[in-house]
């Protein structure tokens, strides 16, 4: 009987502690595409970002970027995904969009079809430091692998917004544009857009 009460008290402590640390009594996992759950917002929803990502991936397929490049050069094209320009009032969108886009494209294509150059500043600094260490003999090196990847295409995105409020409600029209640019000729291979409008109470927190 004594052991029963000890176990019961421990379970109660764990339940209380888990809610105390997060400020939430209970959380529920929901589908990313479900906009009916959670706080309302006039800002971008997770499903919006997924839609834009799908559109970009579909354009890559539609324009046969990989197939045409390989047919001409007998080698897969190298794409550098540039950090999106974010002119909205939702700064958190940029990083999650870029990470999800690269992961989605790498999931859809093999390295024999499409390659990617990592251009984030922190990675570039780390790569430069590593190259210096190899060239000085501080670290081992593989012959023929001392050159950074030169991109054949830049994949860029831009987020713009038109925001209005009457003091009670906020109205945000968000325009996502994306484009693929040939780095040799500056030719615009494709450009697409995705327009979303959302209205919410001003006190709402966006997700």
């Amino acid at each position: 009987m004594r052991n029963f009460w000890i176990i019961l008290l421990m379970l109660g402590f764990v339940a209380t502690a888990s809610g105390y640390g997060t400020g939430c009594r209970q959380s529920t996992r929901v589908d990313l595409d479900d906009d009916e759950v959670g706080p309302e917002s006039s800002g971008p929803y997770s499903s919006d970002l997924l839609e834009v990502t799908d559109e970009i991936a579909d354009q890559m397929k539609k324009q046969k970027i990989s197939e045409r490049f390989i047919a001409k050069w007998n080698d897969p094209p190298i794409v550098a995904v540039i950090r999106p320009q974010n002119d909205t009032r939702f700064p958190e969108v940029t990083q999650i969009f870029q990470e999800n886009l690269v992961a989605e494209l790498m999931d859809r294509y093999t390295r024999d079809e499409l390659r990617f150059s990592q251009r984030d500043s922190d990675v570039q600094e780390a790569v430069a430091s590593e190259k210096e260490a190899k060239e000085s003999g501080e670290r081992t090196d593989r012959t023929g692998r001392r050159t950074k990847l030169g991109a054949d295409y830049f994949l860029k995105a831009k987020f713009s917004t038109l925001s209005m409020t009457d003091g009670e409600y906020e109205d945000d029209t968000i325009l996502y544009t994306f484009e693929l640019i040939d780095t040799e000729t500056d030719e615009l291979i494709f450009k697409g857009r995705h327009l979303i409008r959302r209205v919410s109470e001003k006190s709402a927190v966006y997700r």
Side-chain angles (χ1 to χ4, degrees), residues 14-198:
V14 170
T16 302
S18 62
Y20 178 80
T22 61
C24 300
R25 294 297 298 273
Q26 183 178 359
S27 66
T28 303
R29 180 174 178 174
V30 298
D31 194 292
L32 288 173
D33 295 327
D34 191 351
D35 286 346
E36 302 300 321
V37 179
E40 293 184 356
S41 164
S42 62
Y45 282 49
S46 57
S47 58
D48 300 337
L49 301 181
L50 295 179
E51 288 175 9
V52 178
T53 297
D54 284 340
E55 286 190 22
I56 294 175
D58 290 343
Q59 276 288 343
M60 296 286 288
K61 200 72 175 178
K62 178 182 178 181
Q63 299 297 332
K64 300 181 179 179
I65 302 301
S66 175
E67 294 93 326
R68 290 176 176 174
F69 193 92
I70 293 175
K72 183 176 181 179
W73 300 103
N74 197 32
D75 209 26
I78 298 170
V79 177
V81 179
I82 307 302
R83 178 67 64 92
Q85 178 181 336
N86 188 352
D87 295 332
T88 75
R89 59 189 181 91
F90 309 103
E92 294 86 352
V93 176
T94 307
Q95 182 67 26
I96 188 173
F97 174 81
Q98 181 181 8
E99 293 295 326
N100 183 66
L101 174 59
V102 174
E104 179 66 24
L105 290 175
M106 293 190 75
D107 186 55
R108 295 195 185 196
Y109 293 91
T110 68
R111 290 187 73 253
D112 293 330
E113 298 172 311
L114 205 63
R115 297 172 67 190
F116 294 87
S117 171
Q118 175 58 279
R119 295 299 177 93
D120 284 354
S121 58
D122 58 334
V123 175
Q124 287 292 307
E125 291 175 5
V127 169
S129 176
E130 187 73 8
K131 283 173 63 66
E132 289 178 4
K134 289 178 178 179
E135 290 169 358
S136 67
E138 184 180 346
R139 294 186 185 277
T140 57
D141 178 61
R142 293 180 185 272
T143 303
R145 298 189 63 179
R146 291 188 174 183
T147 304
K148 292 182 182 180
L149 289 178
D152 300 300
Y153 299 105
F154 286 152
L155 182 55
K156 299 180 61 180
K158 181 179 180 181
F159 310 146
S160 307
T161 185
L162 177 63
S163 301
M164 297 180 290
T165 181
D166 60 2
E168 183 179 0
Y169 290 92
E170 290 183 334
D171 186 329
D172 284 279
T173 299
I174 303 174
L175 174 64
Y176 302 88
T177 57
F178 50 88
E179 58 189 27
L180 188 72
I181 303 169
D182 187 315
T183 61
E184 293 293 329
T185 64
D186 75 18
E187 179 185 358
L188 190 61
I189 306 301
F190 67 72
K191 187 179 184 75
R193 68 182 183 275
H194 192 83
L195 195 62
I196 297 169
R197 182 186 178 192
R198 293 191 182 277

Side-chain angles (χ1 to χ4, degrees), residues 6-21:
I6 291 175
I7 294 173
L8 189 62
L9 287 171
M10 289 178 65
L11 290 173
F13 173 77
V14 170
T16 302
S18 62
Y20 178 80

